[in-house]
Amino acid sequence: MGSGSDWMFDFFGSVMPVFFIVVIGIILLSAGKGILQWSQNNRQPLLAVDSKIVSKRTEVKHTQQTDDAMSSRTRTTYYLTFEVESGDRMEFAVNGEEFGMCAEGDEGLLRFQGTRYYGFVRHPRAHLHVVRGYEHPK
């Protein structure tokens, strides 16, 4: 074990601290981004606006555990896209139950603050009944 193995200690002695600093920097950057978004949301007013659901989508992430071939995890995130009266569109992550209760074309009152979603209350639709060929509102 002469001086031939010294290069390995020099490599780890110079590369590992840099790698450690980069990893810590990424973690701090991610945390800072989350805190900044939280702060920006807190400064926004809580809004309730008329809107229409124009799109629904899901994002499925599947992860396989490296140490156990039989173990895996699947996570589904649900999104609704709303269009407000001005024509602007906003997408929010919602829970699965709310996603299932909403349909594209539903109109109602959207409540949000910045990028935080607080809820959507559908406006009741006028139901039409056909009697002898004529449509009568219920």
Side-chain angles (χ1 to χ4, degrees), residues 101-116:
M101 296 295 290
C102 293
E104 289 184 17
D106 282 352
E107 295 181 3
L109 191 65
L110 169 65
R111 294 181 58 239
F112 67 99
Q113 183 181 28
T115 60
R116 285 187 200 135

Side-chain angles (χ1 to χ4, degrees), residues 1-6 8-9:
M1 299 272 282
S3 63
S5 64
D6 289 340
M8 186 167 45
F9 294 112

Side-chain angles (χ1 to χ4, degrees), residues 54-92:
V54 293
S55 177
K56 295 173 66 172
R57 74 177 180 94
T58 59
E59 180 180 22
V60 179
K61 291 184 180 177
H62 181 78
T63 56
Q64 185 82 26
Q65 300 295 330
T66 57
D67 58 341
D68 184 4
M70 299 299 289
S71 179
S72 66
R73 179 178 172 186
T74 301
R75 178 184 172 100
T76 304
T77 307
Y78 302 94
Y79 296 95
L80 295 175
T81 302
F82 297 90
E83 184 175 294
V84 295
E85 292 173 337
S86 67
D88 292 333
R89 292 184 176 198
M90 295 170 276
E91 182 178 67
F92 296 101

Side-chain angles (χ1 to χ4, degrees), residues 1-135:
M1 299 272 282
S3 63
S5 64
D6 289 340
W7 70 269
M8 186 167 45
F9 294 112
D10 289 340
F11 175 76
F12 284 108
S14 60
V15 173
M16 288 307 287
V18 172
F19 178 75
F20 181 73
I21 290 170
V22 168
V23 169
I24 295 298
I26 291 170
I27 291 169
L28 291 175
L29 186 64
S30 296
K33 184 179 175 184
I35 291 170
L36 180 64
Q37 184 66 57
W38 175 81
S39 176
Q40 287 175 342
N41 282 338
N42 286 343
R43 286 185 261 136
Q44 298 293 320
L46 178 61
L47 298 176
V49 297
D50 285 325
S51 64
K52 179 180 181 178
I53 297 175
V54 293
S55 177
K56 295 173 66 172
R57 74 177 180 94
T58 59
E59 180 180 22
V60 179
K61 291 184 180 177
H62 181 78
T63 56
Q64 185 82 26
Q65 300 295 330
T66 57
D67 58 341
D68 184 4
M70 299 299 289
S71 179
S72 66
R73 179 178 172 186
T74 301
R75 178 184 172 100
T76 304
T77 307
Y78 302 94
Y79 296 95
L80 295 175
T81 302
F82 297 90
E83 184 175 294
V84 295
E85 292 173 337
S86 67
D88 292 333
R89 292 184 176 198
M90 295 170 276
E91 182 178 67
F92 296 101
V94 299
N95 65 41
E97 182 178 347
E98 187 157 5
F99 181 85
M101 296 295 290
C102 293
E104 289 184 17
D106 282 352
E107 295 181 3
L109 191 65
L110 169 65
R111 294 181 58 239
F112 67 99
Q113 183 181 28
T115 60
R116 285 187 200 135
Y117 174 78
Y118 283 108
F120 178 71
V121 178
R122 277 180 296 292
H123 294 317
R125 293 185 180 171
H127 296 288
L128 298 177
H129 289 283
V130 177
V131 178
R132 294 188 190 162
Y134 296 100
E135 294 183 358

